[in-house]
Amino acid sequence: MAVVISPAATSALDDFLAQRAALSGASENTLKAYRSDLLDYLVFMTRHKGGPQGIAPLTAVSVSDMRAWMAHARGTGLGARSLSRKLSAVKSFYRWLAEHEVFDPTAVLSARAPKYQRKLPRPLPEDAARAVLDTVELQSQKDWIGARDTAVMTLLYGCGLRISEALGLTGKDAPLAPTLRIRGKGGKERLVPVLDAARDAVDTYLRLCPYPQEPDSPLFRGARGGALNPRQVQKVMEQTRLQLGLPASATPHAMRHSFATHLLSAGGDLRAIQELLGHASLSTTQTYTEVDSTRLMEIYNRTHPKA
């Protein structure tokens, strides 16, 4: 039987998401995740309380109600990391709701996220990253598509771009300038230096691309001329990984991880790397120092006579 969420709660959810989009510049994917997480929460509270939960009942949620929701979520097989994400969405919603409805949201905000082992980024070794750039073009029978895939991968590894950022480039970005102005997560802008290798790779692709480049058209085209789909980038990386015998962790995003880790290994400044990656928090970038330390310990344990 379908659960009916109260119109007041639905309206509040819509208003919250609209504010997130307007003020925080949240991406479409982020907003979809927020909506899904909050709808799951509202559905549970509707069932838990035995009826649609308007604004007043939502403001009266207790600590025991929150514990019941979290226990239910874990009981469905939800992992600690995913539950932490859902709890973060609920807390953000309640902070906003408390400002508009003037109530004390402590019962919700005091809920503690479950502890979980944070996964470290899994970058590729330098020789493997170079091998990917040398091999990715071989996955296509058409020269222009091979050049396109090489250009995209070079931007991920050479400039530290996310897939969405690379595929978000348009005709007006070509030819690539010495620096790119990238709008990343949350609408955060950053300047990214462009290596000669990345510029040359994009220039080669543009010379071979059969579709005309217009200022507002996507820079990277699919086989039929539309915008290149991220799934196609993932697919060609899978083919390259299998050809090179690389682990399953060798994904397009791993090229961005490799960019950061290799810069750090070469003595790069952590703050500078944070800016290049577009991380809002330094703590996110600091995970790469853990990766580097782990790699050093592996080398030590493998090579030291007393290890």
Side-chain angles (χ1 to χ4, degrees), residues 113-137:
K115 293 182 179 180
Y116 60 90
Q117 185 72 31
R118 181 173 58 180
K119 290 184 179 179
L120 293 178
R122 301 183 67 181
L124 299 174
E126 291 184 30
D127 57 347
R130 287 194 294 268
V132 168
L133 297 183
D134 292 338
T135 309
V136 68
E137 66 178 340

PDB file of all heavy atoms in Angstrom, residues 113-137:
ATOM      1  N   ALA A 113      25.974  10.044  13.505  1.00  0.00           N
ATOM      2  CA  ALA A 113      26.161   9.180  12.341  1.00  0.00           C
ATOM      3  C   ALA A 113      26.975   7.961  12.744  1.00  0.00           C
ATOM      4  O   ALA A 113      27.870   8.051  13.592  1.00  0.00           O
ATOM      5  CB  ALA A 113      26.883   9.952  11.236  1.00  0.00           C
ATOM      6  N   PRO A 114      26.693   6.802  12.166  1.00  0.00           N
ATOM      7  CA  PRO A 114      27.478   5.605  12.492  1.00  0.00           C
ATOM      8  C   PRO A 114      28.909   5.751  11.987  1.00  0.00           C
ATOM      9  O   PRO A 114      29.166   6.424  10.977  1.00  0.00           O
ATOM     10  CB  PRO A 114      26.737   4.493  11.735  1.00  0.00           C
ATOM     11  CG  PRO A 114      26.031   5.194  10.620  1.00  0.00           C
ATOM     12  CD  PRO A 114      25.646   6.535  11.176  1.00  0.00           C
ATOM     13  N   LYS A 115      29.837   5.159  12.713  1.00  0.00           N
ATOM     14  CA  LYS A 115      31.235   5.216  12.292  1.00  0.00           C
ATOM     15  C   LYS A 115      31.459   4.255  11.129  1.00  0.00           C
ATOM     16  O   LYS A 115      30.856   3.190  11.059  1.00  0.00           O
ATOM     17  CB  LYS A 115      32.153   4.851  13.451  1.00  0.00           C
ATOM     18  CG  LYS A 115      32.130   5.871  14.589  1.00  0.00           C
ATOM     19  CD  LYS A 115      33.104   5.474  15.683  1.00  0.00           C
ATOM     20  CE  LYS A 115      33.097   6.501  16.817  1.00  0.00           C
ATOM     21  NZ  LYS A 115      34.046   6.133  17.901  1.00  0.00           N
ATOM     22  N   TYR A 116      32.308   4.668  10.221  1.00  0.00           N
ATOM     23  CA  TYR A 116      32.644   3.791   9.110  1.00  0.00           C
ATOM     24  C   TYR A 116      34.082   4.056   8.682  1.00  0.00           C
ATOM     25  O   TYR A 116      34.625   5.120   8.945  1.00  0.00           O
ATOM     26  CB  TYR A 116      31.703   3.990   7.916  1.00  0.00           C
ATOM     27  CG  TYR A 116      31.702   5.388   7.336  1.00  0.00           C
ATOM     28  CD1 TYR A 116      32.585   5.736   6.310  1.00  0.00           C
ATOM     29  CD2 TYR A 116      30.820   6.354   7.804  1.00  0.00           C
ATOM     30  CE1 TYR A 116      32.585   7.017   5.774  1.00  0.00           C
ATOM     31  CE2 TYR A 116      30.813   7.631   7.270  1.00  0.00           C
ATOM     32  CZ  TYR A 116      31.690   7.950   6.251  1.00  0.00           C
ATOM     33  OH  TYR A 116      31.694   9.218   5.726  1.00  0.00           O
ATOM     34  N   GLN A 117      34.653   3.057   8.060  1.00  0.00           N
ATOM     35  CA  GLN A 117      36.026   3.170   7.573  1.00  0.00           C
ATOM     36  C   GLN A 117      36.013   3.939   6.260  1.00  0.00           C
ATOM     37  O   GLN A 117      35.461   3.459   5.268  1.00  0.00           O
ATOM     38  CB  GLN A 117      36.633   1.782   7.358  1.00  0.00           C
ATOM     39  CG  GLN A 117      38.104   1.792   6.974  1.00  0.00           C
ATOM     40  CD  GLN A 117      39.009   2.188   8.131  1.00  0.00           C
ATOM     41  OE1 GLN A 117      38.690   1.917   9.276  1.00  0.00           O
ATOM     42  NE2 GLN A 117      40.113   2.841   7.819  1.00  0.00           N
ATOM     43  N   ARG A 118      36.576   5.122   6.268  1.00  0.00           N
ATOM     44  CA  ARG A 118      36.588   5.924   5.062  1.00  0.00           C
ATOM     45  C   ARG A 118      37.489   5.281   4.014  1.00  0.00           C
ATOM     46  O   ARG A 118      38.622   4.898   4.288  1.00  0.00           O
ATOM     47  CB  ARG A 118      37.095   7.338   5.368  1.00  0.00           C
ATOM     48  CG  ARG A 118      37.112   8.254   4.167  1.00  0.00           C
ATOM     49  CD  ARG A 118      37.459   9.666   4.565  1.00  0.00           C
ATOM     50  NE  ARG A 118      38.752   9.738   5.226  1.00  0.00           N
ATOM     51  CZ  ARG A 118      39.287  10.874   5.680  1.00  0.00           C
ATOM     52  NH1 ARG A 118      38.623  11.997   5.572  1.00  0.00           N
ATOM     53  NH2 ARG A 118      40.468  10.862   6.270  1.00  0.00           N
ATOM     54  N   LYS A 119      36.961   5.136   2.813  1.00  0.00           N
ATOM     55  CA  LYS A 119      37.741   4.546   1.742  1.00  0.00           C
ATOM     56  C   LYS A 119      38.743   5.564   1.205  1.00  0.00           C
ATOM     57  O   LYS A 119      38.385   6.703   0.917  1.00  0.00           O
ATOM     58  CB  LYS A 119      36.817   4.087   0.600  1.00  0.00           C
ATOM     59  CG  LYS A 119      35.949   2.892   0.948  1.00  0.00           C
ATOM     60  CD  LYS A 119      35.138   2.448  -0.253  1.00  0.00           C
ATOM     61  CE  LYS A 119      34.276   1.227   0.084  1.00  0.00           C
ATOM     62  NZ  LYS A 119      33.468   0.801  -1.087  1.00  0.00           N
ATOM     63  N   LEU A 120      39.973   5.126   1.082  1.00  0.00           N
ATOM     64  CA  LEU A 120      40.993   5.994   0.517  1.00  0.00           C
ATOM     65  C   LEU A 120      40.910   5.964  -1.006  1.00  0.00           C
ATOM     66  O   LEU A 120      40.513   4.954  -1.602  1.00  0.00           O
ATOM     67  CB  LEU A 120      42.385   5.532   0.950  1.00  0.00           C
ATOM     68  CG  LEU A 120      42.717   5.663   2.437  1.00  0.00           C
ATOM     69  CD1 LEU A 120      44.116   5.123   2.702  1.00  0.00           C
ATOM     70  CD2 LEU A 120      42.614   7.104   2.896  1.00  0.00           C
ATOM     71  N   PRO A 121      41.245   7.077  -1.648  1.00  0.00           N
ATOM     72  CA  PRO A 121      41.320   7.068  -3.115  1.00  0.00           C
ATOM     73  C   PRO A 121      42.302   6.000  -3.575  1.00  0.00           C
ATOM     74  O   PRO A 121      43.281   5.692  -2.884  1.00  0.00           O
ATOM     75  CB  PRO A 121      41.846   8.483  -3.448  1.00  0.00           C
ATOM     76  CG  PRO A 121      41.554   9.301  -2.238  1.00  0.00           C
ATOM     77  CD  PRO A 121      41.633   8.372  -1.071  1.00  0.00           C
ATOM     78  N   ARG A 122      42.051   5.437  -4.735  1.00  0.00           N
ATOM     79  CA  ARG A 122      42.924   4.391  -5.263  1.00  0.00           C
ATOM     80  C   ARG A 122      43.513   4.850  -6.591  1.00  0.00           C
ATOM     81  O   ARG A 122      42.996   4.533  -7.661  1.00  0.00           O
ATOM     82  CB  ARG A 122      42.145   3.077  -5.409  1.00  0.00           C
ATOM     83  CG  ARG A 122      41.568   2.579  -4.084  1.00  0.00           C
ATOM     84  CD  ARG A 122      40.860   1.260  -4.232  1.00  0.00           C
ATOM     85  NE  ARG A 122      41.783   0.186  -4.554  1.00  0.00           N
ATOM     86  CZ  ARG A 122      41.405  -1.082  -4.748  1.00  0.00           C
ATOM     87  NH1 ARG A 122      40.121  -1.390  -4.660  1.00  0.00           N
ATOM     88  NH2 ARG A 122      42.296  -2.010  -5.047  1.00  0.00           N
ATOM     89  N   PRO A 123      44.598   5.620  -6.517  1.00  0.00           N
ATOM     90  CA  PRO A 123      45.211   6.132  -7.746  1.00  0.00           C
ATOM     91  C   PRO A 123      45.985   5.037  -8.474  1.00  0.00           C
ATOM     92  O   PRO A 123      46.280   3.978  -7.911  1.00  0.00           O
ATOM     93  CB  PRO A 123      46.166   7.205  -7.224  1.00  0.00           C
ATOM     94  CG  PRO A 123      46.541   6.715  -5.862  1.00  0.00           C
ATOM     95  CD  PRO A 123      45.322   6.044  -5.316  1.00  0.00           C
ATOM     96  N   LEU A 124      46.321   5.328  -9.719  1.00  0.00           N
ATOM     97  CA  LEU A 124      47.150   4.433 -10.502  1.00  0.00           C
ATOM     98  C   LEU A 124      48.622   4.803 -10.316  1.00  0.00           C
ATOM     99  O   LEU A 124      48.938   5.971 -10.098  1.00  0.00           O
ATOM    100  CB  LEU A 124      46.806   4.543 -11.992  1.00  0.00           C
ATOM    101  CG  LEU A 124      45.382   4.189 -12.406  1.00  0.00           C
ATOM    102  CD1 LEU A 124      45.190   4.496 -13.887  1.00  0.00           C
ATOM    103  CD2 LEU A 124      45.090   2.738 -12.126  1.00  0.00           C
ATOM    104  N   PRO A 125      49.513   3.828 -10.413  1.00  0.00           N
ATOM    105  CA  PRO A 125      50.939   4.176 -10.463  1.00  0.00           C
ATOM    106  C   PRO A 125      51.203   5.061 -11.682  1.00  0.00           C
ATOM    107  O   PRO A 125      50.429   5.044 -12.652  1.00  0.00           O
ATOM    108  CB  PRO A 125      51.624   2.811 -10.596  1.00  0.00           C
ATOM    109  CG  PRO A 125      50.616   1.821 -10.106  1.00  0.00           C
ATOM    110  CD  PRO A 125      49.286   2.376 -10.456  1.00  0.00           C
ATOM    111  N   GLU A 126      52.296   5.805 -11.641  1.00  0.00           N
ATOM    112  CA  GLU A 126      52.579   6.745 -12.733  1.00  0.00           C
ATOM    113  C   GLU A 126      52.707   6.038 -14.072  1.00  0.00           C
ATOM    114  O   GLU A 126      52.199   6.523 -15.089  1.00  0.00           O
ATOM    115  CB  GLU A 126      53.852   7.534 -12.411  1.00  0.00           C
ATOM    116  CG  GLU A 126      53.679   8.501 -11.243  1.00  0.00           C
ATOM    117  CD  GLU A 126      54.926   9.336 -11.006  1.00  0.00           C
ATOM    118  OE1 GLU A 126      55.655   9.607 -11.986  1.00  0.00           O
ATOM    119  OE2 GLU A 126      55.175   9.710  -9.845  1.00  0.00           O
ATOM    120  N   ASP A 127      53.367   4.884 -14.097  1.00  0.00           N
ATOM    121  CA  ASP A 127      53.539   4.199 -15.379  1.00  0.00           C
ATOM    122  C   ASP A 127      52.204   3.676 -15.905  1.00  0.00           C
ATOM    123  O   ASP A 127      51.957   3.660 -17.116  1.00  0.00           O
ATOM    124  CB  ASP A 127      54.557   3.057 -15.256  1.00  0.00           C
ATOM    125  CG  ASP A 127      54.184   2.042 -14.186  1.00  0.00           C
ATOM    126  OD1 ASP A 127      53.283   2.335 -13.368  1.00  0.00           O
ATOM    127  OD2 ASP A 127      54.797   0.950 -14.159  1.00  0.00           O
ATOM    128  N   ALA A 128      51.304   3.274 -14.998  1.00  0.00           N
ATOM    129  CA  ALA A 128      49.988   2.795 -15.420  1.00  0.00           C
ATOM    130  C   ALA A 128      49.146   3.941 -15.976  1.00  0.00           C
ATOM    131  O   ALA A 128      48.425   3.775 -16.966  1.00  0.00           O
ATOM    132  CB  ALA A 128      49.268   2.126 -14.253  1.00  0.00           C
ATOM    133  N   ALA A 129      49.230   5.114 -15.347  1.00  0.00           N
ATOM    134  CA  ALA A 129      48.488   6.280 -15.838  1.00  0.00           C
ATOM    135  C   ALA A 129      48.959   6.657 -17.240  1.00  0.00           C
ATOM    136  O   ALA A 129      48.156   6.962 -18.129  1.00  0.00           O
ATOM    137  CB  ALA A 129      48.653   7.449 -14.879  1.00  0.00           C
ATOM    138  N   ARG A 130      50.281   6.624 -17.438  1.00  0.00           N
ATOM    139  CA  ARG A 130      50.818   6.932 -18.771  1.00  0.00           C
ATOM    140  C   ARG A 130      50.375   5.876 -19.790  1.00  0.00           C
ATOM    141  O   ARG A 130      50.061   6.188 -20.943  1.00  0.00           O
ATOM    142  CB  ARG A 130      52.341   7.015 -18.725  1.00  0.00           C
ATOM    143  CG  ARG A 130      52.863   8.278 -18.047  1.00  0.00           C
ATOM    144  CD  ARG A 130      54.349   8.468 -18.343  1.00  0.00           C
ATOM    145  NE  ARG A 130      55.151   7.400 -17.743  1.00  0.00           N
ATOM    146  CZ  ARG A 130      55.686   7.477 -16.534  1.00  0.00           C
ATOM    147  NH1 ARG A 130      55.511   8.558 -15.792  1.00  0.00           N
ATOM    148  NH2 ARG A 130      56.408   6.472 -16.062  1.00  0.00           N
ATOM    149  N   ALA A 131      50.335   4.626 -19.359  1.00  0.00           N
ATOM    150  CA  ALA A 131      49.913   3.544 -20.252  1.00  0.00           C
ATOM    151  C   ALA A 131      48.459   3.726 -20.682  1.00  0.00           C
ATOM    152  O   ALA A 131      48.094   3.450 -21.828  1.00  0.00           O
ATOM    153  CB  ALA A 131      50.107   2.187 -19.575  1.00  0.00           C
ATOM    154  N   VAL A 132      47.620   4.190 -19.761  1.00  0.00           N
ATOM    155  CA  VAL A 132      46.217   4.450 -20.102  1.00  0.00           C
ATOM    156  C   VAL A 132      46.136   5.508 -21.210  1.00  0.00           C
ATOM    157  O   VAL A 132      45.420   5.335 -22.202  1.00  0.00           O
ATOM    158  CB  VAL A 132      45.433   4.908 -18.862  1.00  0.00           C
ATOM    159  CG1 VAL A 132      44.062   5.471 -19.268  1.00  0.00           C
ATOM    160  CG2 VAL A 132      45.244   3.751 -17.883  1.00  0.00           C
ATOM    161  N   LEU A 133      46.893   6.585 -21.056  1.00  0.00           N
ATOM    162  CA  LEU A 133      46.866   7.655 -22.056  1.00  0.00           C
ATOM    163  C   LEU A 133      47.382   7.162 -23.411  1.00  0.00           C
ATOM    164  O   LEU A 133      46.914   7.617 -24.457  1.00  0.00           O
ATOM    165  CB  LEU A 133      47.708   8.848 -21.579  1.00  0.00           C
ATOM    166  CG  LEU A 133      47.227   9.543 -20.305  1.00  0.00           C
ATOM    167  CD1 LEU A 133      48.113  10.739 -19.997  1.00  0.00           C
ATOM    168  CD2 LEU A 133      45.777   9.980 -20.422  1.00  0.00           C
ATOM    169  N   ASP A 134      48.326   6.232 -23.395  1.00  0.00           N
ATOM    170  CA  ASP A 134      48.891   5.723 -24.637  1.00  0.00           C
ATOM    171  C   ASP A 134      47.998   4.677 -25.304  1.00  0.00           C
ATOM    172  O   ASP A 134      48.114   4.437 -26.506  1.00  0.00           O
ATOM    173  CB  ASP A 134      50.269   5.091 -24.375  1.00  0.00           C
ATOM    174  CG  ASP A 134      51.317   6.118 -23.979  1.00  0.00           C
ATOM    175  OD1 ASP A 134      51.115   7.310 -24.303  1.00  0.00           O
ATOM    176  OD2 ASP A 134      52.315   5.737 -23.333  1.00  0.00           O
ATOM    177  N   THR A 135      47.120   4.055 -24.511  1.00  0.00           N
ATOM    178  CA  THR A 135      46.366   2.895 -24.993  1.00  0.00           C
ATOM    179  C   THR A 135      44.900   3.191 -25.270  1.00  0.00           C
ATOM    180  O   THR A 135      44.267   2.491 -26.064  1.00  0.00           O
ATOM    181  CB  THR A 135      46.460   1.742 -23.956  1.00  0.00           C
ATOM    182  OG1 THR A 135      47.834   1.523 -23.634  1.00  0.00           O
ATOM    183  CG2 THR A 135      45.878   0.447 -24.486  1.00  0.00           C
ATOM    184  N   VAL A 136      44.354   4.210 -24.652  1.00  0.00           N
ATOM    185  CA  VAL A 136      42.912   4.428 -24.725  1.00  0.00           C
ATOM    186  C   VAL A 136      42.429   4.646 -26.165  1.00  0.00           C
ATOM    187  O   VAL A 136      41.333   4.224 -26.543  1.00  0.00           O
ATOM    188  CB  VAL A 136      42.501   5.619 -23.813  1.00  0.00           C
ATOM    189  CG1 VAL A 136      43.045   6.940 -24.341  1.00  0.00           C
ATOM    190  CG2 VAL A 136      40.986   5.678 -23.672  1.00  0.00           C
ATOM    191  N   GLU A 137      43.254   5.245 -27.018  1.00  0.00           N
ATOM    192  CA  GLU A 137      42.829   5.509 -28.393  1.00  0.00           C
ATOM    193  C   GLU A 137      42.665   4.224 -29.206  1.00  0.00           C
ATOM    194  O   GLU A 137      41.980   4.208 -30.235  1.00  0.00           O
ATOM    195  CB  GLU A 137      43.820   6.431 -29.092  1.00  0.00           C
ATOM    196  CG  GLU A 137      45.198   5.831 -29.298  1.00  0.00           C
ATOM    197  CD  GLU A 137      46.131   6.771 -30.035  1.00  0.00           C
ATOM    198  OE1 GLU A 137      45.622   7.706 -30.699  1.00  0.00           O
ATOM    199  OE2 GLU A 137      47.354   6.582 -29.941  1.00  0.00           O
TER     200      GLU A 137
END
